[in-house]
Each structure stands twice: as structure tokens, then as C-alpha cells.
């Protein structure tokens, strides 16, 4: 019957309309993302650039890892340096994937899971804010700046966002602790694992941070404890977001049901 209501088409349209109703305005989100990224770059490049202090802290960090039998960076760096087929893809992975995957997950959340998007967007911003505080409080020289380590970007002549040569002036070289590559990789994995239903997608989400931690050390851009710092930044970001949402909920409840 042509006038029937409630068919498959109307159900799909209703679901699409419900998603659109809860999805934040795109222009507002894009503006917010641009402002936050610009602030991230500005603050990141204002990190104190004292090479002597940053290198001293790096040696202290390596000593701590050595005492705990966690100093795997040099062995991984030698492995990458001795095998171009590993190092060259790793260089491009390090330079691009933290942007590509993070933005891809943001778009996926915004388009397909708009109810979840605000929470994960807030978590990403809070995690990045924690990372900026870490950069400022603890400027740290990456392994590639220390004797014995090899900068794989320079060694293999590939394009990279950082290197240890003359072109290394476009970005602060001592913003290493915590590793935002690791923090953003864990954020991406957490979002996908929590929402995705296809097993192969979840498997890729699990593998992504694991590959990231190997790449950031093998390319001599980070220490293992930097990766631990990235995980801690995500945890602190989660605590901040949870506290903010709880405070917002309590504020709404007190407004709707004031105490007499």
C-alpha cells in the first residue's frame, strides 16, 4: 500500500535524521580544531630550547631505563639503520600516520557516531593539553641527538617532520616527553575498539599503537618512557574530561532541581 508508514526507508531516514540532530555543527568543529591545532603548534614551539639541559635529562632518562632493563631504543635504532626496507617506511609512518589516523578517526566519529564524537573530541583535546604541559615542564632531547644513535631521516635521505640537521628549525626539537604520537595512537585505538564491530578493524586498532611504539623508538625520535608518558597523558586527559562532564551534569541537575 503506497501510503504505508514505518517501512525500511522511513526507518533509515529516521536514523539519519536522529544522527544529524545530535551532530555538532561542522563549521564550529572545524574552527575549534584549527584554533586548537594552531595553539598546539605555538605553545609547542615556545618550549624552552636549552640543548644542554635537554641532553642531560635524556641521559638521565636512559640511565633510569638501563637500571630497569628497559633500554631497548639503541637496539631498535640499530635494527632500523641496518635495514633500509624497515627504516624508510618507518620514517614516513612517523611523519604522517599520527595525523592521517587521528583525523580519520575524528571524521569517522563525526559522520557515523555523532553521539560519541563530543566525548572523544574532548578527550583528544584534553590529552593534547596535558602533553603541552609535559613539553614545557620537561624539555627532552630525543635519542637521535645523542652520540651513538642514528637519525634515520638523515641517514636514508627521506622526508620527515624532524631531523637533526640544519632544517631542524621549523619545530621545537625538545618536545619529546610525553610522546604525542603514542598518546594519539592510543586515543585512536581506544575509540575504534570501543565502537567498531568488525574484528579486522579492531585488530588493526590494536596493532596501530604497537607499531607506533616500535617506530618512534626505531627512528630514534623517542624513548620507551616517552611512550609511557603518552599513555599517562591519555589517562590524565580522560580524568579531566570525566571530571568536566561530571561537573557539567551536576550543574544541570542543580539548575533544574535547585535545593530549597
Amino acid at each position: 500500500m503506497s501510503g504505508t508508514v514505518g517501512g525500511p526507508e522511513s526507518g533509515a531516514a529516521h536514523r539519519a535524521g536522529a544522527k544529524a540532530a545530535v551532530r555538532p555543527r561542522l563549521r564550529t568543529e572545524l574552527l575549534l580544531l584549527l584554533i586548537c591545532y594552531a595553539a598546539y603548534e605555538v605553545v609547542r614551539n615556545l618550549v624552552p630550547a636549552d640543548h644542554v639541559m635537554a641532553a642531560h635529562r635524556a641521559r638521565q632518562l636512559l640511565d633510569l631505563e638501563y637500571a630497569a632493563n628497559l633500554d631497548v631504543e639503541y637496539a631498535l635504532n640499530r635494527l632500523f639503520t641496518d635495514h633500509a626496507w624497515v627504516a624508510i617506511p618507518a620514517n614516513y609512518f612517523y611523519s604522517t600516520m599520527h595525523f592521517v589516523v587521528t583525523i580519520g578517526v575524528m571524521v569517522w566519529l563525526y559522520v557515523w557516531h555523532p553521539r560519541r564524537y563530543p566525548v572523544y573530541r574532548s578527550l583528544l583535546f584534553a590529552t593534547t593539553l596535558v602533553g603541552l604541559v609535559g613539553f614545557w615542564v620537561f624539555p627532552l632531547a630525543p635519542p637521535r641527538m645523542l652520540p651513538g644513535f642514528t637519525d634515520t631521516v638523515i641517514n636514508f635521505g627521506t622526508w620527515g617532520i624532524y631531523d637533526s640537521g640544519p632544517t631542524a628549525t621549523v619545530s621545537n626539537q625538545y618536545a619529546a616527553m610525553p610522546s604525542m604520537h603514542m598518546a594519539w595512537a592510543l586515543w585512536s585505538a581506544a575509540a575504534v575498539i570501543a565502537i567498531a564491530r568488525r574484528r579486522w578493524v579492531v585488530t588493526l586498532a590494536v596493532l596501530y599503537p604497537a607499531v607506533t611504539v616500535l617506530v618512534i623508538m626505531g627512528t630514534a625520535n623517542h624513548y620507551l618512557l616517552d611512550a609511557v608518558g603518552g599513555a599517562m597523558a591519555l589517562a590524565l586527559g580522560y580524568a579531566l574530561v570525566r571530571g568536566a562532564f561530571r561537573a557539567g551534569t551536576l550543574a544541570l541537575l542543580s539548575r533544574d532541581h535547585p535545593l530549597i
Side-chain angles (χ1 to χ4, degrees), residues 186-256:
L186 289 171
W187 173 87
S188 300
V192 173
I193 291 169
I195 298 173
R197 293 294 175 262
R198 291 183 174 87
R199 182 172 298 179
W200 67 270
V201 175
V202 173
T203 300
L204 287 178
V206 171
L207 290 175
Y208 175 50
V211 173
T212 297
V213 73
L214 293 176
V215 166
I216 65 176
M217 291 190 293
T219 56
N221 281 292
H222 285 284
Y223 309 94
L224 180 60
L225 288 181
D226 292 345
V228 174
M232 292 178 63
L234 181 64
L236 288 172
Y238 174 77
L240 288 173
V241 170
R242 186 175 181 181
F245 273 86
R246 181 175 295 178
T249 301
L250 291 175
L252 287 174
L253 289 174
S254 63
R255 185 190 67 181
D256 295 337

Side-chain angles (χ1 to χ4, degrees), residues 111 122 138 192:
V111 173
S122 299
F138 198 78
V192 173

